[in-house]
Every structure is written in C-alpha cells, then in structure tokens.
Amino acid sequence: MYLVELRFECFADTTLSQVEYAINQLVEAWRANGQILGKEFPVMQHDAEFRLRALCPEEESLHPRFHSAWAQRRIDLLADAKLTRPRLKVLGRDINSEASSPVLPTNWQLLYATYVHTCSPLRDGETMMPVPLYRLPATFNGDHKALIKWQSEWQACDELQMAGSGAVEFAALDEITNINSALFRRGWDLRGRIEYLTKVPTYYYLYRVGGGSLDEEKARPCPRCGNPDWYLGETIHDLFHFVCHDCRLVSNLSWDLI
C-alpha cells in the first residue's frame, strides 16, 4: 500500500463546516470504492489549504479513471465549498502493509478478512495478495460499499472474539463461524456477485474454532452441503485445510486444535 497526501486549497471565502463536509463526502466515496483504505483520515489545516493523508492500494489508486460516479460527483461539488480539486502527492510505500496483486486473478479468488488487515477483502487465490476493488466491476449501486461494510462488520466480530469479551465474544464468533448467520449470508451472496461479475471462481473463508479432537475435526463435513471429502490433508497458504468447490467455501482446522 502507498501513503498519499491530498491538498485542497480555498479559492474564496468559505466556512470550516462546508470544507469539512465536502472533503469527508469525497473521502467516503473513495473508501466505498476501495480507492483508499482504513477508517481514519486525518485532515490538517494550513492557512487556506487543507491536507489529507490516506493509504491507497496502489500508486495510481486515485486516478480519475477509477472514480465511481459518486466520487466524481463529490469532486465536482468541491467548488461549492470554494475548494479546488485535490492535488495528489504519493509520499511512498508503507513497509508495514501488504502489496496489492499486480494482476487480476484468473484461476480463483476468495473473500478473506481479519481484524488486523486494512487491505482489500478480496484475495488472489494463487498468491493471497489483496485485489484492488476499483479494478473490478462495481458490486452494487456503482461501487463496492456493500463489500466494505461486510468487511468492517467481519473485522469487528473478529476483534471481539479475539479479545475474549465474555457473552459478546460468543455472539461475535457465531457471526463468522456459522453458515446461518446474517453476516455469512451477506458475505456469501457478495461472493456470488463477484464471481458473476468477474467470471472467476470466488470462495468464502469460513473461520473455525472449537471442536472435540483433531481426528474429529479432520472428519467434519462441509457445513453447507455435508460433503465429507473436503478435508485436503495439507494446507493452502498455511491457512486453509478444507475446500468445498460446490459451496465455494474454504476453512481451517480449528485453531484450538493445531
């Protein structure tokens, strides 16, 4: 990922509330399209100039050809707040983040998230590198907001269960491990939408903890179709021990048992 700085200059008298609204609306549009990553975007004022810093998947993530209609509209409306269009400066690569996939997947891809990752939730199945969402056809309503929202909710549940927060922990864990949860159903439907749009087999990562013993865990069937032969005997990317091609699911041996 790359750290970028965007500069907005006032060309006439305006108010701080107008500036704040205009910039924040543009930031939200970029975030909904996967062009900037994360949840916090500090904006610094220096005289009549406002500077925003953000993380992007690639150096060219904010090129106009990737803008959604919403983002382009918010750029056009900057003038109403008496702001110029942003000037972009790429500050450099963030060495603590993952590099994005240089090509779109062709063999298979998957939806995969953890609470410690801020990158795209779509991964190339061959390399596990994040795939920039703006390079894909829009998921729904002109961008990828629905997918970003699903990722945020998955990460929130993952953080709660990792923190061991009592009753809340078990409710959060159910959302990311149970195929009957609302979070799973939304994510699995989004997976199907991405597969339809890209024509690339797209899988969903089903988190797994618990279980009685390692032998029982290896013998457990696919929770969606009952396939008894989805255990691989070896791992994919040292993460996935199970694959069901019919259900487009990948999963792990229970983290409690390995």
Side-chain angles (χ1 to χ4, degrees), residues 62-118:
L62 294 178
H63 192 283
R65 72 176 181 273
F66 296 129
H67 291 346
S68 64
W70 179 21
Q72 189 56 59
R73 176 62 175 160
R74 297 318 308 182
I75 289 175
D76 293 340
L77 290 175
L78 288 172
D80 290 353
K82 306 301 184 291
L83 290 172
T84 61
R85 290 171 180 256
R87 290 184 296 147
L88 172 67
K89 180 180 181 181
V90 178
L91 300 179
R93 184 169 179 174
D94 176 15
I95 62 172
N96 289 320
S97 62
E98 296 187 67
S100 296
S101 176
V103 295
L104 292 178
T106 55
N107 292 331
W108 68 290
Q109 57 196 3
L110 70 152
L111 288 185
Y112 174 83
T114 75
Y115 80 95
V116 296
H117 290 110
T118 58

Side-chain angles (χ1 to χ4, degrees), residues 14-52:
T14 186
T15 65
L16 190 59
S17 60
Q18 286 179 298
V19 168
E20 180 182 20
Y21 179 79
I23 293 177
N24 286 343
Q25 285 291 300
L26 176 56
V27 164
E28 186 59 27
W30 278 334
R31 181 173 180 266
N33 203 37
Q35 291 173 267
I36 61 175
L37 304 166
K39 298 177 182 178
E40 297 184 7
F41 308 97
V43 180
M44 180 186 70
Q45 181 181 4
H46 181 71
D47 296 330
E49 181 182 73
F50 294 85
R51 301 178 185 179
L52 175 140

